[in-house]
Each structure stands twice: as structure tokens, then as C-alpha cells.
Amino acid sequence: MDRVRDLASKKAAVIFTKSSCCMCHSIKALFYDLGASPAVHELDQDSKGKEMELALRGLGCNPTVPAVFIGGEFIGSATDVISLHVDGTLKQRLINARAIWF
């Protein structure tokens, strides 16, 4: 859990993913389209990926990827991020965290 929290706090926007996950790809693309450059941690490419996946599950992320943090705060998975985007608050959260500037 400490490694996940540490990585999540190092950059304004952080996404934990798996390289084969299509929803992970979609969330990354959304962030890039909004002008953010999130730190992306692919769990299936990390030697401690299994441990991080268990930690994410412990935070309530089910499915475990994509898991999104903005400003060090756990936002949720793809459904949560898309809901924030649809209601117009995702961009403002990214601005507030200084992940994008407008």
C-alpha cells in the first residue's frame, strides 16, 4: 500500500494500468486529450505489480485497473473517471491539481 501511495503522490495525475487493458488505454487517451501527462504505472510490467494490485484492491478499486489518482487523491476506476468527465468536473480537478493549465 505504501508503494502505491508513494507513486500516486509523486505527480499530479497518476494512472495504474495493465498493458493489455482496453479501458486503461481509453482513460490514458482521455487524459492526454485533456492536456495532462499522467504518470502511468503498468502493473504487468512492474516486478512489484502483483503487490500493487492487491494494495489497489484494498483501496476499493475493483476492477483494480485502471486506478486513477489526481493530486494524490484516489479518484477511482474508469467508470468514476468517465462520470467526472461527463459531469464536467474532471478537467477542473486536473487544473486544481496542476496536471493541466488553462
Side-chain angles (χ1 to χ4, degrees), residues 22-49:
C22 63
M23 288 308 295
C24 295
H25 174 76
S26 298
I27 295 301
K28 289 186 294 188
L30 172 62
F31 274 59
Y32 295 136
D33 286 347
L34 291 172
S37 295
V40 176
H41 300 283
E42 294 197 4
L43 300 182
D44 57 340
Q45 304 296 318
D46 192 300
S47 62
K48 299 200 184 252

Side-chain angles (χ1 to χ4, degrees), residues 22-28 30-31 34 66 68 70 75-91:
C22 63
M23 288 308 295
C24 295
H25 174 76
S26 298
I27 295 301
K28 289 186 294 188
L30 172 62
F31 274 59
L34 291 172
V68 177
I70 298 175
I75 301 302
S77 62
T79 304
D80 304 301
V81 171
I82 297 205
S83 293
L84 291 175
H85 182 57
V86 168
D87 76 13
T89 59
L90 177 62
K91 187 173 183 177

Side-chain angles (χ1 to χ4, degrees), residues 1-4 7 16 41-56:
M1 183 91 63
D2 290 339
R3 180 166 166 78
V4 168
L7 291 172
F16 291 91
H41 300 283
E42 294 197 4
L43 300 182
D44 57 340
Q45 304 296 318
D46 192 300
S47 62
K48 299 200 184 252
K50 293 281 186 199
E51 293 171 32
M52 289 191 291
E53 194 168 354
L54 288 172
L56 290 167

